[in-house]
Amino acid sequence: MIAWVGIGANLGDAQANVLDALARLARLGGSTLLHTSSLYRTAPIDSSGDDYINAVACLDTTLAPHDLLRALQDIEQAHGRERPYHNAPRTLDLDLLLYGDEVIASPALSVPHPRMHERAFVLQPLLEIAPDIDIPGHGPARSFAALVAGQTIARLA
């Protein structure tokens, strides 16, 4: 199954944390890292603190969606992820954005990730590596790019 993972951090050495998350995804059992986007600097949305460093990764995985979610949360925990309140600043955040063309609605997991089509920090890196991708239930991801054009985002060299 092809899965897409959103990666973000804005505490500590955010860029190093995102790069380490990509390295851990490359070593994730039952998965092969196929593509990674560039890194992007973005202003917090519905959050506070320093700017975020964001990226998107594409995995070919044999892990079931909830097992993949647990593996992503294990990577977050290895970085000391705390969840003191909703949208708190974070050392590392890994979100399962898409899992093939599946739509999943469980108490622990929503796929496609809610609001991914409203966030430049998801869309721009996603479209960099998958310009023709569709968001199940929403349509082509590129059709939302203009809606997020006012959000601050910069590709890092």
Side-chain angles (χ1 to χ4, degrees):
M1 182 66 69
I2 301 299
W4 299 87
V5 178
I7 306 164
N10 77 330
L11 291 177
D13 188 340
Q15 185 167 335
N17 291 343
V18 170
L19 292 172
D20 183 69
L22 290 169
R24 289 173 187 259
L25 289 173
R27 297 189 305 268
L28 186 62
S31 300
T32 301
L33 182 63
L34 299 177
H35 306 286
T36 61
S37 73
S38 300
L39 301 184
Y40 291 81
R41 179 177 304 282
T42 61
I45 296 177
D46 298 334
S47 183
S48 60
D50 295 335
D51 285 352
Y52 279 81
I53 302 298
N54 294 98
V56 168
C58 176
L59 299 171
D60 185 356
T61 187
T62 60
L63 296 174
H66 286 86
D67 294 334
L68 180 55
L69 176 64
R70 278 189 289 281
L72 298 178
Q73 290 171 340
D74 288 346
I75 294 171
E76 290 176 341
Q77 289 305 306
H79 281 268
R81 169 74 190 262
E82 295 179 2
R83 299 172 192 267
Y85 55 90
H86 185 67
N87 287 335
R90 50 204 68 154
T91 54
L92 186 63
D93 184 34
L94 299 177
D95 290 323
L96 182 53
L97 302 172
L98 300 168
Y99 188 83
D101 60 0
E102 290 192 25
V103 175
I104 303 166
S106 76
L109 180 61
S110 295
V111 174
H113 192 277
R115 299 173 315 282
M116 68 176 282
H117 59 287
E118 300 171 357
R119 305 293 196 231
F121 65 81
V122 173
L123 285 177
Q124 195 160 335
L126 178 64
L127 291 170
E128 174 192 335
I129 58 178
D132 297 320
I133 196 163
D134 285 337
I135 302 171
H138 295 282
R142 71 178 168 275
S143 67
F144 297 96
L147 300 175
V148 301
Q151 296 174 19
T152 303
I153 184 168
R155 186 175 171 176
L156 300 179

